[in-house]
Amino acid sequence: EAGVVQSPRYKIIEKKQPVAFWCNPISGHNTLYWYLQNLGQGPELLIRYENEEAVDDSQLPKDRFSAERLKGVDSTLKIQPAELGDSAVYLCASSLDAQGQNIQYFGAGTRLSVL
Amino acid sequence: GNSVTQMEGPVTLSEEAFLTINCTYTATGYPSLFWYVQYPGEGLQLLLKATKADDKGSNKGFEATYRKETTSFHLEKGSVQVSDSAVYFCALSPFYNQGGKLIFGQGTELSVKP
């Protein structure tokens, strides 16, 4: 069974440029998460989707960040414009549903460097 | 609020040494508790979990017991290997209406020397 797939693995951009990250969750997983992981820190939730609906985006900086999950499968996270402080690893995870006991499966992440 | 605190790293051990990584949490109700491991260049992988008090999670020689009285979930392994070198994250999932959201500690880097 394929795991959570993210692309690209690495991205280097100049500040003020736009950037997008893509995630393909495990087949059949209804819940999808985007996390931000700063260097030396644990991941922090940015947004959670139940199927195609964003049900928790309280930590998403909506002035520059946006996300979508078309048809309740793949998801895209976008930053426009990027700032120096956005340099981090962006992780996507999926789970069968949103029950707290369910395991979240993580992708390898996209490492963003903003110059 | 909900939070997780881990012992600071890096932790450096010799092969076959005993490992303990401390984790304590603050949460309302009865959260589920997890240990995730992140090998260099890879995503996080679930190592073990426990969903109620006194449960013991175990996997690949690692163990952790859910201690509600001390709000702890310490990770242990009797004999570490070089291949265990990674960053270990303790995490909790709040009990009610949190949609499976994971709250992570800051991670503890483990380096095992031959």
Side-chain angles (χ1 to χ4, degrees), chain A residues 49-110:
Chain A
Y49 281 93
E50 297 291 336
N51 298 303
E52 67 275 8
E53 182 181 0
V55 295
D56 182 359
D57 63 356
S58 57
Q59 301 303 310
L60 190 72
K62 298 180 184 65
D63 57 336
R64 297 184 299 108
F65 286 65
S66 63
E68 60 182 9
R69 190 182 184 196
L70 299 176
K71 301 182 180 179
V73 181
D74 294 1
S75 179
T76 303
L77 179 68
K78 299 178 181 178
I79 308 174
Q80 181 170 12
E83 297 179 352
L84 295 177
D86 296 330
S87 296
V89 176
Y90 293 82
L91 296 168
C92 180
S94 70
S95 65
L96 278 173
D97 56 36
Q99 294 301 310
Q101 302 174 11
N102 281 345
I103 297 168
Q104 293 184 27
Y105 295 86
F106 284 80
T110 297

Side-chain angles (χ1 to χ4, degrees), chain A residues 5-64:
Chain A
V5 179
Q6 290 188 248
S7 69
R9 287 296 310 274
Y10 305 92
K11 188 73 176 179
I12 301 173
I13 61 172
E14 294 188 347
K15 63 181 180 182
K16 301 185 181 180
Q17 294 299 305
V19 64
F21 316 124
W22 175 81
C23 173
N24 180 238
I26 293 173
S27 178
H29 281 194
N30 295 325
T31 306
L32 183 146
Y33 310 79
W34 283 102
Y35 288 87
L36 166 68
Q37 185 178 19
N38 286 306
L39 185 65
Q41 300 295 316
E44 298 175 8
L45 182 70
L46 286 173
I47 188 169
R48 172 172 65 91
Y49 281 93
E50 297 291 336
N51 298 303
E52 67 275 8
E53 182 181 0
V55 295
D56 182 359
D57 63 356
S58 57
Q59 301 303 310
L60 190 72
K62 298 180 184 65
D63 57 336
R64 297 184 299 108

Side-chain angles (χ1 to χ4, degrees), chain B residues 23-88:
Chain B
C23 171
T24 57
Y25 67 90
T26 301
T28 54
Y30 300 88
S32 295
L33 301 174
F34 304 82
W35 277 100
Y36 277 81
V37 59
Q38 187 173 33
Y39 298 102
E42 299 183 14
L44 279 76
Q45 303 173 26
L46 179 70
L47 183 58
L48 52 85
K49 72 173 188 176
T51 58
K52 61 182 186 296
D54 300 324
D55 267 2
K56 177 186 284 188
S58 62
N59 185 25
K60 300 181 181 179
F62 291 89
E63 294 183 339
T65 300
Y66 189 140
R67 300 288 189 198
K68 184 162 179 62
E69 63 276 14
T70 55
T71 62
S72 65
F73 193 54
H74 304 321
L75 182 68
E76 297 182 336
K77 187 176 186 183
S79 176
V80 294
Q81 306 300 312
V82 172
S83 58
D84 293 326
S85 298
V87 180
Y88 292 80

Side-chain angles (χ1 to χ4, degrees), chain B residues 86-108:
Chain B
V87 180
Y88 292 80
F89 292 93
C90 185
L92 70 82
S93 180
F95 186 48
Y96 280 119
N97 299 322
Q98 297 287 338
K101 172 181 178 177
L102 284 174
I103 296 167
F104 288 88
Q106 77 273 28
T108 302

